Amino acid sequence: EIPFSLKGTVGPIWAWVVPGYTLPADLTVEAGGATANVKGALRDPYNLENLAFKITAAGPSIPDVAKLTGVNEVPELGAFKLTATVADPAGKLAAEGLDLRVGSKDLAEIMITGGVKNLIALEGINLNVTARGKDSAKLTKLGIPALPRQGAYHLSATIADVEPRVFAAHDLRVVLAENEVSGQMQLSLAQQIPLLTAN
């Protein structure tokens, strides 16, 4: 019961059943207050291989978009903008040139750039993450416990998978008011019990 609109071009339709045709697409969808455009081509639709699509999306609220997929536990950060290229250069679905910006400094402004070489298995992750805001006291609106110190804050880190199901945050730096913490963290999900280590 959510209104949406979809417009654009896809074709030629026989590319799905006859080898040797490229299937270009340029589609724009509007739903949940957001607009997304997918433009590119599937060069081998007969075998569902060799694709490259550029995705751009923007909207006033990520929770409104999440509800389209049945997910309701997403905090409200504000408007978002997303650009990325989805391709399969090594026969695996990958995201390249990812650039996601969410929210504002009034509460939390989050920026994520980089890519993931294997989206299905979540491997080959290389992401730069930055979060900043004017007042850490407002983070309680996101379900974060009140911090002992309050003020402007800034967080930055590089996220990568160092082994299968082992994720690391390198060059971690957190600045809160006049305090600064730096180091690195590693989260292992390879065993039944998760293990978090930090320096």
Side-chain angles (χ1 to χ4, degrees), residues 15-161:
W16 291 108
V17 293
V18 180
Y21 285 96
T22 294
L23 186 75
D26 186 353
L27 300 171
T28 299
V29 61
E30 296 181 7
T35 301
N37 176 259
V38 178
K39 186 175 183 179
L42 180 58
R43 295 180 180 86
D44 186 0
Y46 189 78
N47 295 303
L48 290 177
E49 296 177 343
N50 198 1
L51 61 88
F53 290 98
K54 183 175 182 180
I55 299 172
T56 58
S61 170
I62 285 186
D64 288 348
V65 175
K67 288 177 182 177
L68 301 177
T69 62
V71 178
N72 296 311
E73 302 299 325
V74 178
E76 179 60 81
L77 291 170
F80 71 93
K81 292 183 179 179
L82 167 71
T83 60
T85 298
V86 176
D88 59 345
K92 300 175 181 179
L93 195 63
E96 305 168 342
L98 174 67
D99 188 337
L100 173 63
R101 299 171 187 268
V102 185
S104 66
K105 291 182 182 178
D106 288 336
L107 177 58
E109 181 181 34
I110 300 174
M111 293 162 283
I112 301 175
T113 60
V116 181
K117 293 182 179 179
N118 188 338
L119 285 171
I120 305 301
L122 280 182
E123 296 176 346
I125 298 172
N126 185 15
L127 300 173
N128 296 310
V129 179
T130 301
R132 57 191 179 188
K134 294 179 180 179
D135 186 0
S136 60
K138 294 182 178 180
L139 292 175
T140 55
K141 296 179 180 179
L142 304 178
I144 298 175
L147 301 175
R149 301 283 293 182
Q150 298 179 358
Y153 64 91
H154 183 278
L155 178 148
S156 61
T158 299
I159 309 296
D161 55 330

